[in-house]
Amino acid sequence: MQLEQHLKNLILHSAPINMAEFMRIALAYPDYGYYKSKEPFGVKGDFTTAPEISQMFGELIGIWCADVWQKIGGASGVELVEIGPGRGTLMADLLRATRAVPGFHDAISISMVETSDRLIKVQNEKLQGMYPRIKWYKNLSEVPDKPVIIVNNELFDALPVRQYVKKADKWYEKMLGLNKAGGLEFVIARSEYEAERRGNQALKINEYGLQRVACNEGIKEGAILENCQDAIILMQEISARIKKHGGAALIVDYGYNKPEYKDTIIAISNHKHVGLLENIGYADISAHVDFSLLKQVASDMGLQSFGAIGQGDFLRNMGIEFRAASLSKNATEKQKQDIESAKARLIGNGDMQMGELFKVLAVVGDNLAPAGF
Ligand code: SAH
């Protein structure tokens, strides 16, 4: 309720806000934003992420990281970075799975990049005693500038996107405004591209958005273009680090390989879809990730990328079948069933499964051929 009132005041005293501003406030506003206040993950939370489904996910990503480390020379002074680590489960499984890789743990330091103070605490407790050199940062820019191996799962989908709607061959921005009764309501800006109301505070549509707006052909009336400025900035920063010192990044998320020109912003509460304006601050809000954009940014920064391929293919290539079989060896019947159903959820192609909807993209430094693609 506090956030709804805050949004109303903000709009009343200035002007409608764009979808990215709305997402940013709903997710990250001090005290009342979703990631600041709520425990989103797991059966009791709002959604279940891959590392929370099975230890196999983090373990196989650990193997991927150790392989990159060997391929960039196996030297010390490498920074292993996770951005948006949630409950810290992926990192815990990654560390456990790579203990036996000779020299790997001694060669790395770990940086966790997390914006939520509450989740930093949760991660800290989870990793207590597992590894001597872990530090937390709020922003990737603060992480020591060294060769890097960067991983993230379900981070990019949380970054706020702006939306533009096509009407009579022009694009107008979708905004959150107020109706006559003073309630929140989505509206379409009156002028093209921008509701130019806060002078230069409002960002103009960026270069990548303009390229997508320009390829007008075959895009229907009412189509929606989504554009994520934060994704561009983060990808530029990840790429710049890899370009400068070498290394690789693995990005796992749900999204598409070609812009789909439709509205993908959704709110989820208690494992169900809810309206975007329902219970603001208590539902998770996310948008599909435009992998073609991430690849284009990496390539503009002079890097090579692999994928995005389905999470199912990636995990199969990384050996999930073998891992599941070896975990099952000494398991009870019930445990065997759990391992099978977790595996099916991670790699299956059905509607409720993650194998195809979720995708994996690797961005790499010079001549590095990453495992899994
Ligand atoms: N990777 C975890 C959590 C995914 S939820 C998992 O798979 O379970 C998204 C995570 O990203 C949360 O930890 C959230 O607090 C964090 N986050 C959101 N925006 C961020 C940003 N700009 N920088 C760093 N972390 C961010």
Side-chain angles (χ1 to χ4, degrees):
M1 272 343 252
Q2 289 99 332
L3 269 191
E4 187 176 330
Q5 197 51 50
H6 170 72
L7 284 164
K8 285 179 182 167
N9 292 343
L10 181 72
I11 297 167
L12 188 67
H13 293 114
S14 70
I17 60 172
N18 66 43
M19 293 304 282
E21 290 172 297
F22 165 66
M23 264 180 92
R24 199 186 307 280
I25 290 172
L27 289 175
Y29 197 71
D31 299 335
Y32 305 123
Y34 179 71
Y35 280 120
K36 307 282 169 161
S37 61
K38 238 189 127 179
E39 177 58 60
F41 315 106
V43 183
K44 289 208 195 90
D46 296 309
F47 58 94
T48 310
T49 59
E52 305 295 336
I53 290 173
S54 165
Q55 66 186 75
M56 294 185 285
F57 185 79
E59 290 171 349
L60 294 172
I61 289 188
I63 304 301
W64 188 89
C65 292
D67 178 71
V68 167
W69 170 71
Q70 276 161 352
K71 285 174 179 160
I72 60 175
S76 58
V78 172
E79 200 66 26
L80 175 63
V81 184
E82 182 176 3
I83 314 176
R87 291 211 288 213
T89 309
L90 189 159
M91 187 54 77
D93 293 334
L94 180 161
L95 283 172
R96 205 171 9 77
T98 51
R99 237 177 239 154
V101 179
F104 181 57
H105 280 205
D106 290 335
I108 56 168
S109 325
I110 296 177
S111 290
M112 307 281 268
V113 180
E114 172 59 67
T115 42
S116 156
D117 289 323
R118 194 183 61 77
L119 287 174
I120 289 175
K121 251 195 226 145
V122 174
Q123 293 156 16
N124 207 316
E125 276 163 29
K126 177 98 182 195
L127 298 170
Q128 207 54 249
M130 283 195 80
Y131 194 77
R133 293 182 300 281
I134 309 190
K135 285 198 171 148
W136 273 263
Y137 303 94
K138 289 266 162 80
N139 198 294
L140 180 60
S141 60
E142 300 159 31
V143 170
D145 201 14
K146 295 197 277 188
V148 279
I149 303 171
I150 299 175
V151 296
N152 55 75
N153 183 58
E154 291 213 39
L155 167 72
F156 277 89
D157 68 57
L159 302 181
V161 300
R162 293 171 71 171
Q163 289 185 324
Y164 302 85
V165 184
K166 189 173 180 191
K167 278 204 305 192
D169 261 355
K170 289 192 165 142
W171 294 86
Y172 300 87
E173 184 154 18
K174 186 166 164 183
M175 314 287 287
L176 181 63
L178 294 178
N179 58 25
K180 289 215 173 79
L184 294 172
E185 183 180 73
F186 292 115
V187 293
I188 307 297
R190 270 185 295 241
S191 60
E192 197 178 3
Y193 296 145
E194 282 287 335
E196 295 274 4
R197 76 291 179 271
R198 283 203 227 155
N200 56 15
Q201 270 186 38
L203 275 170
K204 288 260 191 301
I205 190 165
N206 56 51
E207 166 200 353
Y208 293 98
L210 281 175
Q211 287 170 17
R212 282 161 173 73
V213 162
C215 72
N216 235 342
E217 248 161 68
I219 299 171
K220 293 196 198 92
E221 183 76 2
I224 290 180
L225 170 81
E226 293 186 339
N227 193 243
C228 185
Q229 178 78 13
D230 286 14
I232 295 168
I233 293 170
L234 184 57
M235 202 58 212
Q236 283 170 334
E237 168 134 31
I238 290 173
S239 305
R241 280 174 181 259
I242 296 173
K243 185 79 195 157
K244 192 164 164 203
H245 299 288
L250 192 73
I251 295 161
V252 188
D253 221 310
Y254 55 101
Y256 44 83
N257 270 318
K258 247 171 61 186
E260 288 174 339
Y261 295 98
K262 65 180 194 200
D263 178 1
T264 75
I265 300 182
I266 50 163
I268 302 235
S269 178
N270 204 6
H271 300 271
K272 288 193 196 74
H273 284 215
V274 294
L276 287 187
L277 298 180
E278 245 173 80
N279 261 335
I280 302 166
Y282 293 91
D284 179 48
I285 301 184
S286 65
H288 285 201
V289 173
D290 180 352
F291 282 102
S292 64
L293 171 74
L294 303 187
K295 279 174 84 78
Q296 195 182 346
V297 173
S299 143
D300 288 350
M301 302 280 295
L303 292 185
Q304 241 191 313
S305 57
F306 291 78
I309 62 170
Q311 174 174 299
D313 285 339
F314 175 77
L315 292 177
R316 268 188 293 268
N317 295 343
M318 291 302 300
I320 194 169
E321 301 284 0
F322 297 104
R323 184 65 190 130
S326 108
L327 282 175
S328 293
K329 253 191 210 136
N330 299 317
T332 63
E333 269 318 301
K334 164 84 176 74
Q335 287 167 332
K336 278 183 194 159
Q337 279 170 13
D338 289 348
I339 293 165
E340 272 313 297
S341 74
K343 188 185 77 187
R345 196 147 165 221
L346 289 176
I347 67 176
N349 293 342
D351 272 358
M352 302 302 286
Q353 297 174 316
M354 304 172 101
E356 241 170 34
L357 175 61
F358 277 74
K359 297 187 171 58
V360 184
L361 173 71
V363 173
V364 300
D366 286 344
N367 297 325
L368 196 146
F373 290 86

